[in-house]
Amino acid sequence: MGEKLRKTGSSTILNTAPSLKRSLSFWDLLIYGMVFMVPIAPFGIYGVVAQGSNGMVALTYLIGMVGMIFTALSYARMSEAFPIAGSVYSYAQRGINDSVGFIAGWLILLDYVFVPALLYLVSAAALGDMLPEVPSYLWVIIFIAINTVINILGIEFTARANKIIVILELIILAIFVAVGVTAIIKGINGAEFTIKPLYNDRGFNMNVIMGAVSIAVLSFLGFDGISTLAEETKDGAKSIGKACIFALLTVGFLFIIQTWVAALIWPDYQTFANPDVAFYQIAEIAGGTWLKTLTILATALSWGIANALVAQAAISRILFSMARDKKLPFVLSKIHPRFNTPYISTLFIAVVSLVVTGIFAAHIDKLSSVVNFGALSSFLFLHFSVVNYFIRKKGSKDYLRHLLLPAIGIIIIGYVWINLDETSKKLGFIWLGIGIIYLIVLKLMKKNTNLDLNG
């Protein structure tokens, strides 16, 4: 790629390592984040969240959005200081130290590596319910092939695909809300306008609500993926943080509206025949079979194509960054000579997704349980990185942005983390243990190499 100047924090250094093409605008980043979070994400998990929150599903998403705002602010601070690929890996590495950065990156891998496989399985299951004659693994292969080709062709191509996808999702969401509000006005299924989905004193219990938030927060995971595109942004470092915040607020508002409408149409959340398909039953009550079918197809295609597409793009760039720093095999940092994309990392994730979907095909619940552990744990490292870098290393006196706001983020994310289920924590700590062992091996190998060179 030749020699290039790369800015890191306040210094500019000569860099001969692989680098990515800067071509994305703020709007590209905003749409990328919205597609990653999926504006209609609650369609797929509505029933579980509604039952877990005693019907206060809108409150659950409101708390989740507020909690994630503080994390978005920390991403904004660190992306301004370090406008490079790698997300929380790069931020913790430079904000605290190299070893902590590796652990933070290893934990976010747990989220990003498994997310595409999870999305493929959920989408294949939804389509399998409509077309049982088509094997689920065939849908998985089709999804993986489409997303891999798009991501290798270039981030601009991915951005164009994102715009089309998010427009279609918003149209479908608008249709559901319009039909749903009409159904409420008509009093279908006993529906009436009330604030109970946001607050109901009869069933309110903060511990119960936070348990539901630990599930609903899965819908918000993705705004952080914007930070993985830091080296491909042409509008400057501030665009990353601004896009994270605006994407989070926009999608959070959409989550609250659609779940509020759904809760009003089916007020008795305890009577779902199957919580996994509760939203589609609500859509059928509101508009008929056509709306049920539309929401099922929207969920399958949004998760299997849209969300998985940007998830694959995000994780390939984290692998690229870690490999460039020689924390992973250097081959993963190779850039395609024509499309200027980390194509080896992209292909690697495609293979991993294919393998993981085969292993967890009958255990989607276990696969989803580890995703939140990785994301929330890495968010904690992010908040600590802001405090350590700005307050301790830089001596900042801006205690609001560099101490108080990250501290609030630590408290909120920590509270949600504590309420994760035991399976999630067990599998998460196993993954963390593997990462620590791998880090020790890397350090020993580096030490032995240095001894050989000095010897």
Side-chain angles (χ1 to χ4, degrees), residues 68-132:
M68 290 296 104
I69 282 293
F70 291 97
T71 301
L73 290 171
S74 285
Y75 268 108
R77 300 291 81 78
M78 296 306 287
S79 64
E80 291 170 7
F82 306 106
I84 56 177
S87 186
V88 69
Y89 156 71
S90 296
Y91 303 152
Q93 180 194 51
R94 290 157 175 78
I96 302 178
N97 61 48
D98 190 61
S99 297
V100 173
F102 175 85
I103 294 300
W106 184 261
L107 287 168
I108 203 66
L109 286 180
L110 184 61
D111 171 10
Y112 286 158
V113 167
F114 287 126
V115 158
L118 173 62
L119 299 173
Y120 295 137
L121 287 175
V122 171
S123 300
L127 291 174
D129 187 58
M130 294 181 59
L131 300 170

Side-chain angles (χ1 to χ4, degrees), residues 399-417:
Y399 295 118
L400 174 63
R401 296 197 306 164
H402 300 151
L403 181 60
L404 180 59
L405 295 180
I408 294 174
I410 291 171
I411 293 171
I412 295 175
I413 296 299
Y415 192 19
V416 177
W417 188 95

Side-chain angles (χ1 to χ4, degrees), residues 3-311:
E3 294 185 342
K4 294 184 178 181
L5 290 176
R6 181 152 65 96
K7 191 174 181 180
T8 304
S10 59
S11 62
T12 302
I13 59 174
L14 186 65
N15 181 34
T16 58
S19 59
L20 302 173
K21 178 182 177 182
R22 293 190 179 275
S23 59
L24 300 179
S25 67
F26 163 77
W27 292 106
D28 290 327
L29 297 175
L30 176 63
I31 292 172
Y32 177 91
M34 290 179 64
V35 171
F36 207 148
M37 284 184 281
V38 184
I40 58 173
F43 284 16
I45 60 174
Y46 173 82
V48 176
V49 177
Q51 290 185 339
S53 62
N54 290 338
M56 285 170 278
V57 62
L59 175 62
T60 299
Y61 279 99
L62 176 61
I63 293 174
M65 180 183 70
V66 172
M68 290 296 104
I69 282 293
F70 291 97
T71 301
L73 290 171
S74 285
Y75 268 108
R77 300 291 81 78
M78 296 306 287
S79 64
E80 291 170 7
F82 306 106
I84 56 177
S87 186
V88 69
Y89 156 71
S90 296
Y91 303 152
Q93 180 194 51
R94 290 157 175 78
I96 302 178
N97 61 48
D98 190 61
S99 297
V100 173
F102 175 85
I103 294 300
W106 184 261
L107 287 168
I108 203 66
L109 286 180
L110 184 61
D111 171 10
Y112 286 158
V113 167
F114 287 126
V115 158
L118 173 62
L119 299 173
Y120 295 137
L121 287 175
V122 171
S123 300
L127 291 174
D129 187 58
M130 294 181 59
L131 300 170
E133 65 275 10
V134 180
S136 295
Y137 69 83
L138 184 58
W139 289 120
V140 170
I141 293 173
I142 291 173
F143 288 143
I144 292 176
I146 292 173
N147 289 341
T148 301
V149 170
I150 292 176
N151 273 320
I152 289 179
L153 287 177
I155 196 64
E156 299 101 323
F157 193 88
T158 303
R160 288 195 293 271
N162 287 343
K163 291 175 183 177
I164 296 172
I165 291 166
V166 79
I167 289 172
L168 291 175
E169 289 179 358
L170 292 175
I171 290 173
I172 293 170
L173 179 56
I175 291 172
F176 169 78
V177 172
V179 174
V181 170
T182 302
I184 296 169
I185 293 174
K186 293 180 178 179
I188 292 177
N189 200 43
E192 62 178 355
F193 289 102
T194 173
I195 66 167
K196 288 183 179 179
L198 186 64
Y199 179 75
N200 185 353
D201 57 355
R202 292 183 60 184
F204 183 82
N205 181 300
M206 183 53 76
N207 288 332
V208 171
I209 296 296
M210 293 307 293
V213 171
S214 70
I215 301 172
V217 75
L218 179 65
S219 301
F220 290 103
L221 302 184
F223 76 89
D224 53 301
I226 295 173
S227 64
T228 66
L229 304 179
E231 285 188 35
E232 294 160 277
T233 303
K234 61 184 179 183
D235 290 347
K238 291 185 179 297
S239 293
I240 295 292
K242 187 167 67 172
C244 284
I245 295 170
F246 274 85
L248 187 61
L249 289 173
T250 302
V251 173
F253 173 77
L254 296 176
F255 287 171
I256 293 169
I257 293 298
Q258 64 192 271
T259 55
W260 199 325
V261 170
L264 295 180
I265 295 172
W266 194 315
D268 191 355
Y269 58 90
Q270 294 178 327
T271 60
F272 294 140
N274 180 358
D276 293 336
V277 295
F279 197 95
Y280 314 127
Q281 294 174 341
I282 294 171
E284 185 174 25
I285 290 174
T289 303
W290 70 271
L291 187 57
K292 175 184 177 181
T293 302
L294 183 64
T295 53
I296 290 176
L297 286 173
T299 300
L301 296 179
S302 295
W303 287 46
I305 297 294
N307 199 347
L309 174 68
V310 293

